[in-house]
Structure formats: structure tokens, C-alpha cells
């Protein structure tokens, strides 16, 4: 490719959607007498998780939502956390809540996520919401895949008939985005290949992708030589790379090696400022939906 690829700017798209969310949140408040209310549960002291949760809470303020940050100790037992989830389910002042992942190793995350009331499950991880997504029924879509769809829509990326390769099959990103992009909808109608760590000859598959979604959790893994000329590249990965030149002591990188990939693709999500802000925006959209 000659020239720079189009940047799929998640901050710009997220800000545009947030303006609309704020208008609708004010309307909800006028009718119900209280603003939409999101709670975030953070267990332990993981620095990255703390940053994500704080960003979610801050975003609530930017659209006129109420938010609560519930910090719990690393040593909390599974039963104590389950009891907390049940009390949030029963709280009539709360529209939706999330339990930030990952949880400490002694806690079964599936058991916690399955205990969340599906009507308050604004992360869209409960099996009932996942089932609704697969069947195309109303429910909460998982935040990151839904944010990717909003971003593709905002930039009018053509998806019908395209070959989309998703690298990574996690329950929160890879698997749901593969389902959403194969639906008979826009964005969607892609022919989807879902690749993972047991996939043979991954480069021969990624080189076929018109749309390449990368969510594997390995910094800079996808390089320019394995990307098809003119592809649209969605980089979901977020990694804190130690960097003494930064005030924070680290810089953020994705799963894609941007310097080599930018020369080949037609559009790409930056890291930071691509998929990350869209995940937060989707969470706000789900909370608004729960409040209504
Ligand atoms: P997981 O670790 O849950 O899943 C990683 C997936 O990648 C697995 O399916 C794994 O395969 C696959 N994989 C690992 N190595 C390879 C390889 N060499 N070749 C092919 N496939 C491979 O990750 P998540 O989906 O939770 O997250 C992925 C990345 O996205 C992380 O960097 C995370 O921080 C980031 N993230 C960003 C978000 C955002 O808002 N921007 C939100 C959520 C995540 P297998 O199943 O066979 O083990």
C-alpha cells in the first residue's frame, strides 16, 4: 500500500456515541427521577484492572450516569464475592454492574459471572446473554465485540462477503466477535475463520483476511508479512511495556506490530485509542439499555 492507512479512531467514535448516550441518559433521569447507575466490582490490586475500572467509572460521569466503585480485598472468598453479587442483583438503585476480570486464582470466575442477574449483566458475559447473542435475540452484547461493531459501522467499513479472520477464541472477545461478524446484519455477513493456538500455518490464514481481528494477548505478534495488502486490521490487544522514557513507566502496545502492518493495511485501530475506548462506550450503551 502507498500512503498511510485510515485510523479507526475509537476515541472519536466513542465521543460521538457518548453525546447521544448523555442525551438519552438525561431523558431517563427526567422520567425516573434518577440517572442510570453502573457499579464496578474490583477484586485485588492489579494495576491494569484498576486503570480499566477507573476509566469506566470516569466515563459514567462524562455522560451523566451515577457510578459506584466497589473495591474488595484479594483475600475475599468465592462465597463472600457471590454474596456481594447477590446483593447487587437485589439493589433497586442499581441498573447494571460488572465484575472486573481477571479474578484471583482461588475464585471460579464462571461461577461469579453466572450468578449475575442477566438483566444487570451489562458486560454481556452471562450464558443467557451469550445465548441471546448467538440466536440474534435481544439482550446485552459483550462490550468489546459490540464496540468493534460500532467502530466498523462508524467508519462505514464494508463487511458483507468479506473474509474475516479472528485470531483468538476467548469467551469475551474472539468467539463473540466471530459470531457477530457472521450474522445476517450490518456489520456482519462476513465469512469468518476463527483461529487459535492449535491452528496450523496461521500466516497462510491471516494472509487471506480482508478483515483481521487480533485478540491473542501477545504484544506485536501479527507482523506486516502475514497481513493481506489492503486489509482492515482490528487490534484488540493491550499490553503495558516497560518504558523509562514515559512518565508512567510504561507504554501501551497491541497484539499487532503497527510499524510493519501499517504499510500493508487500508485501515487499522490504533493502540491506545482504538478498541479500548469502544469497550467502555459499549458498556455505557448497555447500562443505558438496562436503565430503560
Ligand atoms: P485470552 O488469553 O483469553 O485468549 C487468547 C486467545 O489467543 C486464545 O484463544 C488462544 O488460543 C489464542 N492464542 C494464543 N496464542 C496464540 C498463537 N500463538 N496463535 C494463535 N492463537 C493464539 O485473551 P483475551 O481474548 O481475553 O484478550 C486478548 C487481548 O486483548 C489481551 O491483550 C487483552 O488484554 C486484550 N483485551 C483488550 C480489551 C480492550 O478493551 N481493548 C478487552 C479485552 C481484552 P487457545 O484458545 O488455543 O489457548
Amino acid at each position: 500500500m502507498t500512503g498511510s492507512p485510515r485510523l479507526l479512531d475509537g476515541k472519536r467514535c466513542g465521543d460521538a456515541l457518548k453525546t447521544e448516550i448523555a442525551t438519552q441518559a438525561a431523558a431517563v433521569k427526567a422520567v425516573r427521577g434518577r440517572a442510570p447507575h453502573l457499579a464496578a466490582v474490583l477484586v485485588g490490586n492489579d494495576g491494569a484492572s484498576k486503570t480499566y475500572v477507573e476509566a469506566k467509572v470516569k466515563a459514567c460521569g462524562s455522560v451523566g450516569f451515577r457510578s459506584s466503585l466497589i473495591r474488595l480485598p484479594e483475600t475475599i472468598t468465592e462465597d463472600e464475592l457471590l454474596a456481594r453479587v447477590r446483593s447487587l442483583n437485589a439493589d433497586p438503585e442499581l441498573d447494571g454492574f460488572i465484575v472486573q476480570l481477571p479474578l484471583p486464582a482461588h475464585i471460579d470466575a464462571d461461577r461469579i459471572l453466572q450468578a449475575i442477574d442477566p438483566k444487570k449483566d451489562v458486560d454481556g458475559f452471562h450464558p443467557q446473554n451469550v445465548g441471546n447473542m448467538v440466536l440474534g435475540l435481544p439482550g446485552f452484547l459483550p462490550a468489546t465485540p459490540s464496540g468493534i461493531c460500532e467502530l466498523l459501522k462508524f467508519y462505514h467499513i464494508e463487511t458483507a462477503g468479506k473474509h474475516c479472520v479472528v485470531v483468538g477464541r476467548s469467551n469475551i472477545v474472539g468467539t463473540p466477535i466471530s459470531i457477530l461478524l457472521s450474522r445476517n446484519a450490518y456489520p456482519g455477513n462476513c465469512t469468518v475463520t476463527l483461529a487459535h493456538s492449535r491452528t496450523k500455518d496461521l500466516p497462510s490464514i491471516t494472509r487471506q483476511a480482508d478483515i483481521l481481528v487480533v485478540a491473542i494477548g501477545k504484544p506485536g505478534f501479527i507482523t506486516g508479512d502475514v497481513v493481506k495488502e489492503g486489509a482492515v486490521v482490528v487490534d484488540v490487544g493491550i499490553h503495558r511495556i516497560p518504558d523509562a522514557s514515559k512518565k508512567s513507566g510504561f507504554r501501551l502496545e497491541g497484539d499487532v506490530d503497527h510499524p510493519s502492518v501499517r504499510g500493508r493495511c487500508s485501515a487499522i485501530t490504533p493502540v491506545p485509542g482504538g478498541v479500548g475506548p469502544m469497550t467502555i462506550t459499549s458498556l455505557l450503551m448497555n447500562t443505558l439499555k438496562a436503565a430503560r
Side-chain angles (χ1 to χ4, degrees):
M1 292 280 298
T2 50
S4 303
R6 200 166 167 210
L7 275 192
L8 306 179
D9 184 339
K11 170 122 185 17
R12 187 171 156 234
C13 172
D15 285 348
L17 291 172
K18 278 197 251 173
T19 303
E20 177 59 19
I21 294 170
T23 305
Q24 296 190 29
V28 167
K29 190 176 177 186
V31 172
R32 294 194 321 173
R34 70 168 179 83
H37 181 193
L38 172 77
V41 178
L42 175 62
V43 180
N45 297 306
D46 178 68
S49 293
K50 188 167 166 278
T51 307
Y52 299 147
V53 164
E54 285 171 354
K56 290 169 186 176
V57 166
K58 195 170 155 213
C60 283
S62 74
V63 293
F65 287 7
R66 194 178 144 202
S67 63
S68 303
L69 174 54
I70 301 165
R71 295 206 62 173
L72 299 171
E74 181 93 24
T75 50
I76 192 167
T77 67
E78 192 172 296
D79 285 343
E80 285 166 340
L81 185 55
L82 276 174
R84 199 64 192 244
V85 165
R86 289 191 192 107
S87 84
L88 294 172
N89 284 342
D91 184 347
E93 294 290 305
L94 191 62
D95 298 299
F97 66 99
I98 61 161
V99 178
Q100 183 67 37
L101 301 177
L103 289 169
H106 66 276
I107 295 177
D108 179 351
D110 284 339
R111 213 173 149 223
I112 301 298
L113 296 179
Q114 286 170 24
I116 297 175
D117 180 344
K119 292 193 286 301
K120 290 192 175 183
D121 169 42
V122 286
D123 251 342
F125 294 162
H126 189 281
Q128 191 170 313
N129 282 317
V130 175
N132 286 338
M133 175 194 65
V134 173
L135 297 173
L137 297 172
F140 295 117
L141 295 177
T144 300
S146 160
I148 293 170
C149 289
E150 291 296 332
L151 193 56
L152 295 175
K153 221 192 294 181
F154 185 78
Y155 283 99
H156 307 290
I157 301 292
E158 202 182 318
T159 57
K162 302 290 180 190
H163 185 187
C164 173
V165 174
V166 178
V167 190
R169 59 177 163 187
S170 73
N171 288 341
I172 63 168
V173 187
T175 294
I177 192 67
S178 74
I179 292 164
L180 292 176
L181 289 179
S182 60
R183 290 184 311 181
N184 184 1
Y186 176 74
N189 280 317
C190 293
T191 303
V192 178
T193 301
L194 182 55
H196 44 77
S197 68
R198 307 291 286 271
T199 296
K200 281 197 183 135
D201 193 7
L202 183 64
S204 74
I205 293 169
T206 57
R207 280 187 200 115
Q208 296 172 37
D210 303 308
I211 300 173
L212 180 61
V213 181
V214 190
I216 67 169
K218 295 201 158 100
F221 182 83
I222 293 290
T223 47
D225 58 315
V226 303
V227 174
K228 180 178 177 178
E229 186 92 24
V232 172
V233 178
V234 176
D235 186 358
V236 183
I238 308 182
H239 306 276
R240 289 177 166 207
I241 309 291
D243 186 339
S245 71
K246 301 279 177 196
K247 203 172 145 205
S248 60
F250 63 85
R251 65 177 188 280
L252 293 178
E253 280 187 9
D255 286 344
V256 169
D257 176 51
H258 286 247
S260 63
V261 170
R262 281 185 186 213
R264 291 191 61 79
C265 62
S266 61
I268 189 165
T269 59
V271 178
V275 175
M278 291 309 301
T279 297
I280 295 179
T281 304
S282 297
L283 184 63
L284 298 177
M285 289 167 77
N286 278 348
T287 305
L288 179 68
K289 198 169 170 182
R292 283 160 145 188

